Amino acid sequence: MARAQLKITRRQLLKSGAAVGVAGAIGSSGLRGAPAHAATDDGAWYRQGQIRTTYNVCDICPWHCGVLVHSVDGVVHKVDGNPKDPKAQGRLCARGQGGPSFMYDPDRLRSPMVRTGPRGSGEFEEVTWEYALDLVAQELGKIKERSGPEALAVFGHTGGDGWFADHFAQAWGTPNAAKSSSSLCLSPREEAATLTFGWPVGGHEPVDWDGLECVALIGSHIGEDARNTVMQGFAGLHRRGGTIIAVDPRFSSAATKADHWLPIKPGTDTALLLAWIHVLVTEGLYDADYVEQWTTGFDELAAHVEDKTPEWAAAITDLPADQIRETARSMAAHAPRSVIMPGRHVTWYGNDTQRMRAVFLVNSLLGAYGREGGFYFNRAPYIGDYALPPYAVEGSAGGCAAEPAEDDDPLGDLPLGPSGKARADGVQEAFLRGPTAMQELIEPMISGDPYRIEGLLVYGVNLLHTVPNPARTLEALKALDLVVAVDVLPQEHIAWADIVLPEATYLERYEDLYTIAHKTPYIALREPAVEPMYDTKPGWWISKELGERVGLESHYPWEDIEEYLDERLRSVGANLDDLRDADGIIVQDGRPYLDDFDGSSPFDTPSGKIELYSQLLADTGHDPLPEYEPTDEPPDGYFRLLYGRHPAHTFARTQNTPGLHRVYPENELWLNAGAAAELGVSDGDRVMLENQDGATDGPIKVKATQRIRRDAVFMVHGFGQASEGLSRAHGQGASDTKLQTRYQLDPISGGAGMRVNFVRISTEA
Ligand SMILES: Nc1nc2c(c(=O)[nH]1)N[C@H]1C(S)=C(S)[C@@H](COP(=O)(O)OP(=O)(O)OC[C@H]3O[C@@H](n4cnc5c(=O)[nH]c(N)nc54)[C@H](O)[C@@H]3O)O[C@H]1N2
Ligand SMILES: Nc1nc2c(c(=O)[nH]1)N[C@H]1C(S)=C(S)[C@@H](COP(=O)(O)OP(=O)(O)OC[C@H]3O[C@@H](n4cnc5c(=O)[nH]c(N)nc54)[C@H](O)[C@@H]3O)O[C@H]1N2
Ligand code: SF4
Ligand SMILES: [Mo]
């Protein structure tokens, strides 16, 4: 039945030419079949029947903007930013506009499948949900009985990961659950923030954009990193004539708008940051009253940076000392309405927690925390949980607030990732509480050291494009006894799964409530706009059905998701209908500024202050103040491999989305024009890349440009996809991940620094 309905659905779509998405943000010219002037077209979708508007949270990227979804007769035609949503503010980025196109991608997974050929062959048989879930439960049961619950690893990311990497994993009893948004993205930042302020930055970086006067970006390539409200805030600052400082080895989109571009030598940012602190301290440009009242360790910091002069940093960073001085003064002139963006993807060189600490120290000297136009304090909204029995394992897989296990935790000597390491080191305090590092779980799947991980449940993680050294991940996929994948698309790793469970996309399903820490904390609704297409099911349903089959029914006591959501909403005096009546968003009051605390401290560190000097780091054998540590130089003939975002794509998720593929079908290799000339390579040539360990990928088109330093190349992440099931993305461009055979482990957070790989260029393409 679902299939028949699909055919009708798609024919209607083709006829109306809508639902392809990016039109709203980037103009409709590129969208064949889209009505040029819909307002005068009687065939326009919004004249075809009753428009139904539902509430959702965009899942095309982890920024999670609130969305109004407009559908007619069971077909989604358009998504708009929810004006009431603090992150959307009535708008969506180009990728978010592409949501319907993502949903109507004809290459989607359609039915549960069981592998029939060898792993990797991609040969599957379609089966019923009943059969697939029974089989998963049976195989999971075998693993638990043979080797215990911890022999299962659960990987998660994207909207519904909480049902798997948090709820299911904890109820099941494995500590080996991990999210890619942690150790491959922001765990060093959250670790550094927890050490310095006592709490993590949180999913929505609390820059008080409206009153901001000066921003410094370390990496953070806003504009290419296309988070909707971040771009809105940045554009507003630019419009107001605010000061923009872009520190980037590449002349990024943000750098084109900047007053100061600092084309830094990659990997040397900590030296720049220490020199900025030197200038602020020695020239008396810091906020002395703020430092006195709200920080500890200033004297140690001042002594530490005494010799970290701009001249010292200039020799390391390749930046003029005068520019370092001038930019520090410029930041100070606007303080406290002056911040360094906290950054998001910060797993760069393996010393990333220390670099992030240095960022936070500059911001603290500027007096920016809890000040209007600096950083506000973001609070999570108040809402109750659904009452449940205690978990077998406490501590979520991701997010920011995972607590370390107790001393006497029977799982305390388990491996893996920072929490494991923290336990081994006997560290039980506020720091090193980062959740398990995903990349560190690959090895025990292969080597069995310290014990063997036998099964993997992977939800919404593009395994072979997300985790560095995919060749090693393939070894793991061969060695595992059980691989279960929950996804929406036939991504590369799907061919390696034993059982594939196809999820309905975010536009077709309910989700747990979004409870967002913000200046105005809020609760947001995801509800289905239309029935799930094909034979797909929502993640909440899959998790519950699986849980009930493996004896965890007490952890899934709700009848269905609506009952679950109503129960949670009851704690704030509301129900689902009320939430809909409130346009899908319930906003609460925050306490954004220091003044809101009546003199008490908002900082949750042992001293109750911002810890410029970290006693905790000292006690555990780490540098209590950030030190600059050099990273390896590119060998002769090699370039450092840098990567980042494109505004029309998210990670390795949207390359196959028809409306977004059309905008940017393949990635390019940014190569310095001078270096290109020396190599005899021209703009537009297709080249192959080989890294320091002999891994190759390509061909990729060269973009010869003055906009990047000579010692590095840059490419957009997420391309070079090998899955033939992705009819548009297949074979387009090159994969940064395949060229990342190495990573540098951050000893404090467990983050995987990925910018430690080098490539050379071969013209044999
Ligand atoms: N369009 C789009 N936007 C996204 C996403 C997406 O997939 N697509 N994903 C979202 C997510 S989850 C994340 S984590 C963020 C990531 O986005 P960001 O947090 O902005 O990522 P960064 O790695 O900080 O920024 C990449 C920039 O760092 C520069 N860079 C490389 N090496 C160095 C160095 O050594 N020093 C300095 N100063 N700069 C360097 C690169 O040239 C590039 O311009 O983007 C978010 N926004
Ligand atoms: N080489 C390299 N590695 C990186 C990065 C990089 O820039 N370069 N960036 C890092 C960063 S910052 C992050 S946050 C992570 C991101 O890591 P991931 O979240 O793993 O990145 P994606 O490529 O978006 O993979 C999402 C997967 O979820 C699937 N999916 C999409 N929607 C749904 C859904 O509704 N349900 C289910 N079940 N599945 C869905 C997609 O098909 C895809 O397989 O990657 C990190 N790894
Ligand atoms: S920034 Fe764009 S892709 Fe990300 S959630 Fe918002 S609209 Fe969706
Ligand atoms: Mo990320």
Side-chain angles (χ1 to χ4, degrees), residues 19-23 57-61 67 69 76-80 92-105 108 505-508 533 648 654 657-660:
V20 256
V22 288
V57 174
C58 181
D59 211 3
I60 299 296
C61 96
V67 176
V69 187
V76 175
H77 286 278
K78 193 171 190 305
V79 287
D80 284 322
L92 298 177
C93 81
R95 297 167 297 149
Q97 298 275 347
S101 184
F102 181 82
M103 167 183 166
Y104 289 116
D105 185 336
R108 268 179 65 180
T505 66
Y506 69 103
L507 295 172
E508 306 156 277
M533 291 173 74
T654 54
T657 301
L660 299 175

Short mmCIF file of all heavy atoms in Angstrom, two decimals, residues 19-23 57-61 67 69 76-80 92-105 108 505-508 533 648 654 657-660:
data_model
loop_
_atom_site.label_atom_id
_atom_site.label_comp_id
_atom_site.label_asym_id
_atom_site.label_seq_id
_atom_site.Cartn_x
_atom_site.Cartn_y
_atom_site.Cartn_z
N ALA A 19 8.62 21.08 -4.18
CA ALA A 19 9.26 20.18 -3.22
C ALA A 19 10.72 19.91 -3.52
O ALA A 19 11.30 18.97 -3.02
CB ALA A 19 8.51 18.85 -3.15
N VAL A 20 11.33 20.72 -4.35
CA VAL A 20 12.75 20.50 -4.58
C VAL A 20 13.60 21.43 -3.76
O VAL A 20 14.80 21.34 -3.77
CB VAL A 20 13.13 20.65 -6.06
CG1 VAL A 20 13.35 19.29 -6.67
CG2 VAL A 20 12.08 21.41 -6.81
N GLY A 21 12.93 22.37 -3.13
CA GLY A 21 13.64 22.87 -1.98
C GLY A 21 14.38 24.17 -2.01
O GLY A 21 13.83 25.14 -1.58
N VAL A 22 15.59 24.20 -2.47
CA VAL A 22 16.46 25.31 -2.12
C VAL A 22 15.98 26.64 -2.68
O VAL A 22 16.55 27.67 -2.38
CB VAL A 22 17.91 25.07 -2.58
CG1 VAL A 22 18.54 24.02 -1.71
CG2 VAL A 22 17.95 24.68 -4.02
N ALA A 23 14.92 26.60 -3.48
CA ALA A 23 14.44 27.82 -4.13
C ALA A 23 14.37 29.01 -3.20
O ALA A 23 14.85 30.08 -3.52
CB ALA A 23 13.06 27.56 -4.73
N VAL A 57 11.35 20.32 13.55
CA VAL A 57 12.68 20.84 13.85
C VAL A 57 13.58 20.30 12.75
O VAL A 57 13.63 19.10 12.53
CB VAL A 57 13.15 20.33 15.23
CG1 VAL A 57 14.59 20.75 15.49
CG2 VAL A 57 12.24 20.85 16.33
N CYS A 58 14.23 21.18 12.03
CA CYS A 58 15.03 20.77 10.88
C CYS A 58 16.11 19.79 11.31
O CYS A 58 16.77 19.98 12.32
CB CYS A 58 15.66 21.99 10.22
SG CYS A 58 16.64 21.58 8.77
N ASP A 59 16.25 18.73 10.52
CA ASP A 59 17.27 17.73 10.85
C ASP A 59 18.31 17.63 9.75
O ASP A 59 19.04 16.66 9.67
CB ASP A 59 16.59 16.36 11.03
CG ASP A 59 17.34 15.51 12.06
OD1 ASP A 59 18.32 16.00 12.64
OD2 ASP A 59 16.93 14.36 12.25
N ILE A 60 18.37 18.65 8.92
CA ILE A 60 19.39 18.59 7.87
C ILE A 60 20.76 18.92 8.46
O ILE A 60 21.79 18.51 7.94
CB ILE A 60 19.02 19.52 6.69
CG1 ILE A 60 17.69 19.08 6.08
CG2 ILE A 60 20.10 19.51 5.62
CD1 ILE A 60 17.68 17.70 5.44
N CYS A 61 20.79 19.66 9.56
CA CYS A 61 22.06 19.78 10.29
C CYS A 61 21.76 19.90 11.78
O CYS A 61 20.62 20.10 12.18
CB CYS A 61 22.91 20.94 9.77
SG CYS A 61 22.78 22.51 10.66
N VAL A 67 10.76 24.63 12.26
CA VAL A 67 10.27 24.63 10.89
C VAL A 67 8.75 24.56 10.85
O VAL A 67 8.15 23.82 11.63
CB VAL A 67 10.84 23.39 10.14
CG1 VAL A 67 10.27 23.31 8.73
CG2 VAL A 67 12.35 23.43 10.10
N VAL A 69 5.99 23.20 8.32
CA VAL A 69 5.96 22.31 7.15
C VAL A 69 4.59 22.44 6.49
O VAL A 69 3.57 22.21 7.14
CB VAL A 69 6.20 20.84 7.56
CG1 VAL A 69 6.34 19.97 6.32
CG2 VAL A 69 7.44 20.72 8.45
N VAL A 76 4.41 16.93 0.99
CA VAL A 76 5.09 18.09 1.56
C VAL A 76 5.59 18.97 0.41
O VAL A 76 6.28 18.50 -0.49
CB VAL A 76 6.28 17.66 2.43
CG1 VAL A 76 7.07 18.88 2.91
CG2 VAL A 76 5.81 16.84 3.62
N HIS A 77 5.21 20.23 0.45
CA HIS A 77 5.60 21.13 -0.64
C HIS A 77 6.63 22.16 -0.23
O HIS A 77 7.41 22.62 -1.05
CB HIS A 77 4.37 21.85 -1.20
CG HIS A 77 3.50 20.96 -2.03
ND1 HIS A 77 3.77 20.69 -3.34
CD2 HIS A 77 2.39 20.25 -1.72
CE1 HIS A 77 2.85 19.85 -3.83
NE2 HIS A 77 2.00 19.57 -2.85
N LYS A 78 6.59 22.58 1.02
CA LYS A 78 7.44 23.71 1.36
C LYS A 78 7.74 23.69 2.86
O LYS A 78 6.88 23.30 3.64
CB LYS A 78 6.71 25.01 1.01
CG LYS A 78 7.60 26.24 1.03
CD LYS A 78 6.86 27.45 0.45
CE LYS A 78 7.76 28.64 0.22
NZ LYS A 78 8.49 29.05 1.42
N VAL A 79 8.93 24.13 3.20
CA VAL A 79 9.25 24.34 4.62
C VAL A 79 9.68 25.78 4.80
O VAL A 79 10.35 26.36 3.95
CB VAL A 79 10.37 23.38 5.10
CG1 VAL A 79 9.86 21.96 5.23
CG2 VAL A 79 11.59 23.42 4.18
N ASP A 80 9.25 26.37 5.91
CA ASP A 80 9.63 27.74 6.24
C ASP A 80 10.20 27.76 7.64
O ASP A 80 9.86 26.90 8.46
CB ASP A 80 8.40 28.66 6.23
CG ASP A 80 7.95 29.02 4.83
OD1 ASP A 80 8.82 29.22 3.96
OD2 ASP A 80 6.72 29.09 4.60
N LEU A 92 15.21 29.81 7.10
CA LEU A 92 15.99 28.58 7.03
C LEU A 92 17.16 28.83 6.09
O LEU A 92 17.09 29.70 5.22
CB LEU A 92 15.14 27.43 6.47
CG LEU A 92 13.90 27.04 7.30
CD1 LEU A 92 13.13 25.94 6.57
CD2 LEU A 92 14.31 26.56 8.69
N CYS A 93 18.20 28.06 6.24
CA CYS A 93 19.30 28.16 5.28
C CYS A 93 18.96 27.34 4.04
O CYS A 93 17.95 26.63 4.00
CB CYS A 93 20.62 27.70 5.91
SG CYS A 93 20.85 25.91 5.96
N ALA A 94 19.80 27.41 3.03
CA ALA A 94 19.55 26.70 1.77
C ALA A 94 19.36 25.21 2.01
O ALA A 94 18.48 24.57 1.41
CB ALA A 94 20.71 26.94 0.81
N ARG A 95 20.18 24.66 2.92
CA ARG A 95 20.08 23.21 3.17
C ARG A 95 18.74 22.87 3.79
O ARG A 95 18.10 21.88 3.44
CB ARG A 95 21.21 22.77 4.10
CG ARG A 95 22.59 22.98 3.51
CD ARG A 95 23.65 22.83 4.58
NE ARG A 95 23.52 23.83 5.62
CZ ARG A 95 23.83 23.68 6.89
NH1 ARG A 95 24.31 22.53 7.31
NH2 ARG A 95 23.69 24.67 7.75
N GLY A 96 18.32 23.69 4.74
CA GLY A 96 17.04 23.44 5.38
C GLY A 96 15.89 23.51 4.40
O GLY A 96 14.95 22.72 4.45
N GLN A 97 15.98 24.46 3.46
CA GLN A 97 14.96 24.55 2.41
C GLN A 97 14.92 23.28 1.57
O GLN A 97 13.92 22.95 0.96
CB GLN A 97 15.25 25.75 1.48
CG GLN A 97 15.23 27.09 2.16
CD GLN A 97 13.84 27.68 2.26
OE1 GLN A 97 12.92 27.20 1.62
NE2 GLN A 97 13.69 28.71 3.06
N GLY A 98 16.05 22.60 1.53
CA GLY A 98 16.13 21.36 0.76
C GLY A 98 15.54 20.15 1.46
O GLY A 98 15.59 19.05 0.92
N GLY A 99 14.95 20.35 2.64
CA GLY A 99 14.40 19.23 3.40
C GLY A 99 13.44 18.35 2.60
O GLY A 99 13.59 17.12 2.58
N PRO A 100 12.44 18.94 1.93
CA PRO A 100 11.52 18.10 1.15
C PRO A 100 12.26 17.31 0.06
O PRO A 100 11.92 16.16 -0.22
CB PRO A 100 10.55 19.11 0.54
CG PRO A 100 10.55 20.26 1.50
CD PRO A 100 11.97 20.34 2.00
N SER A 101 13.26 17.92 -0.54
CA SER A 101 14.02 17.21 -1.58
C SER A 101 14.78 16.03 -0.97
O SER A 101 14.88 14.97 -1.57
CB SER A 101 14.99 18.19 -2.24
OG SER A 101 15.67 17.58 -3.31
N PHE A 102 15.28 16.23 0.24
CA PHE A 102 15.95 15.13 0.97
C PHE A 102 14.95 13.99 1.21
O PHE A 102 15.25 12.82 0.99
CB PHE A 102 16.48 15.68 2.30
CG PHE A 102 17.20 14.67 3.15
CD1 PHE A 102 18.53 14.36 2.90
CD2 PHE A 102 16.55 14.03 4.21
CE1 PHE A 102 19.20 13.43 3.69
CE2 PHE A 102 17.21 13.10 4.99
CZ PHE A 102 18.54 12.80 4.74
N MET A 103 13.74 14.36 1.62
CA MET A 103 12.73 13.35 1.91
C MET A 103 12.29 12.60 0.65
O MET A 103 12.08 11.39 0.68
CB MET A 103 11.53 14.03 2.57
CG MET A 103 10.29 13.17 2.64
SD MET A 103 8.94 14.13 3.35
CE MET A 103 7.58 13.08 2.95
N TYR A 104 12.15 13.32 -0.46
CA TYR A 104 11.66 12.68 -1.69
C TYR A 104 12.80 12.14 -2.55
O TYR A 104 12.59 11.86 -3.73
CB TYR A 104 10.79 13.67 -2.47
CG TYR A 104 9.44 13.92 -1.81
CD1 TYR A 104 9.10 15.18 -1.32
CD2 TYR A 104 8.53 12.87 -1.65
CE1 TYR A 104 7.87 15.40 -0.69
CE2 TYR A 104 7.31 13.08 -1.02
CZ TYR A 104 6.98 14.34 -0.54
OH TYR A 104 5.78 14.55 0.08
N ASP A 105 13.98 12.01 -1.99
CA ASP A 105 15.10 11.40 -2.72
C ASP A 105 14.70 9.97 -3.11
O ASP A 105 14.45 9.12 -2.24
CB ASP A 105 16.34 11.37 -1.83
CG ASP A 105 17.58 10.86 -2.57
OD1 ASP A 105 17.41 10.13 -3.57
OD2 ASP A 105 18.69 11.19 -2.12
N ARG A 108 16.13 6.60 -1.49
CA ARG A 108 15.97 6.25 -0.06
C ARG A 108 15.84 4.75 0.18
O ARG A 108 15.32 4.01 -0.65
CB ARG A 108 14.72 6.95 0.50
CG ARG A 108 15.02 8.30 1.11
CD ARG A 108 13.76 8.93 1.62
NE ARG A 108 13.17 8.19 2.73
CZ ARG A 108 12.05 8.55 3.34
NH1 ARG A 108 11.42 9.64 2.96
NH2 ARG A 108 11.57 7.84 4.32
N THR A 505 12.04 9.84 7.50
CA THR A 505 12.79 11.08 7.71
C THR A 505 12.08 11.97 8.74
O THR A 505 10.93 11.71 9.12
CB THR A 505 12.94 11.90 6.41
OG1 THR A 505 11.64 12.35 6.01
CG2 THR A 505 13.58 11.07 5.31
N TYR A 506 12.76 13.04 9.11
CA TYR A 506 12.23 13.90 10.17
C TYR A 506 10.88 14.50 9.81
O TYR A 506 10.10 14.85 10.70
CB TYR A 506 13.24 15.00 10.53
CG TYR A 506 13.48 16.04 9.46
CD1 TYR A 506 12.91 17.32 9.56
CD2 TYR A 506 14.27 15.78 8.36
CE1 TYR A 506 13.14 18.29 8.59
CE2 TYR A 506 14.50 16.74 7.38
CZ TYR A 506 13.93 17.98 7.50
OH TYR A 506 14.15 18.94 6.54
N LEU A 507 10.59 14.66 8.51
CA LEU A 507 9.31 15.25 8.11
C LEU A 507 8.16 14.26 8.24
O LEU A 507 7.00 14.62 8.12
CB LEU A 507 9.40 15.78 6.68
CG LEU A 507 10.38 16.94 6.48
CD1 LEU A 507 10.55 17.28 5.01
CD2 LEU A 507 9.92 18.18 7.27
N GLU A 508 8.51 12.99 8.48
CA GLU A 508 7.49 11.94 8.53
C GLU A 508 7.33 11.34 9.91
O GLU A 508 6.74 10.28 10.06
CB GLU A 508 7.89 10.80 7.57
CG GLU A 508 8.17 11.23 6.15
CD GLU A 508 9.09 10.23 5.45
OE1 GLU A 508 10.31 10.30 5.62
OE2 GLU A 508 8.56 9.35 4.75
N MET A 533 6.94 7.32 4.23
CA MET A 533 6.95 6.75 2.87
C MET A 533 7.45 5.31 2.92
O MET A 533 8.18 4.91 3.82
CB MET A 533 7.85 7.57 1.96
CG MET A 533 7.30 8.96 1.66
SD MET A 533 8.47 9.97 0.76
CE MET A 533 8.39 9.21 -0.87
N ALA A 648 25.69 24.66 0.80
CA ALA A 648 24.56 23.87 0.31
C ALA A 648 24.60 22.42 0.77
O ALA A 648 23.74 21.63 0.37
CB ALA A 648 24.52 23.93 -1.22
N THR A 654 23.95 15.18 2.39
CA THR A 654 23.05 15.82 1.43
C THR A 654 23.56 15.78 -0.01
O THR A 654 22.93 16.34 -0.90
CB THR A 654 22.86 17.30 1.79
OG1 THR A 654 24.18 17.88 1.89
CG2 THR A 654 22.14 17.47 3.12
N THR A 657 21.02 14.64 -2.35
CA THR A 657 19.71 15.30 -2.32
C THR A 657 19.53 16.07 -3.63
O THR A 657 20.32 16.97 -3.92
CB THR A 657 19.63 16.26 -1.12
OG1 THR A 657 19.83 15.50 0.07
CG2 THR A 657 18.31 16.99 -1.07
N PRO A 658 18.50 15.74 -4.42
CA PRO A 658 18.43 16.32 -5.77
C PRO A 658 18.60 17.84 -5.79
O PRO A 658 19.44 18.36 -6.54
CB PRO A 658 17.03 15.89 -6.25
CG PRO A 658 16.77 14.60 -5.52
CD PRO A 658 17.42 14.75 -4.17
N GLY A 659 17.83 18.56 -4.97
CA GLY A 659 17.88 20.02 -5.02
C GLY A 659 19.20 20.60 -4.58
O GLY A 659 19.58 21.70 -5.00
N LEU A 660 19.94 19.89 -3.75
CA LEU A 660 21.22 20.41 -3.26
C LEU A 660 22.38 19.93 -4.13
O LEU A 660 23.36 20.65 -4.34
CB LEU A 660 21.43 19.99 -1.80
CG LEU A 660 20.36 20.53 -0.84
CD1 LEU A 660 20.55 19.98 0.58
CD2 LEU A 660 20.35 22.05 -0.82
#
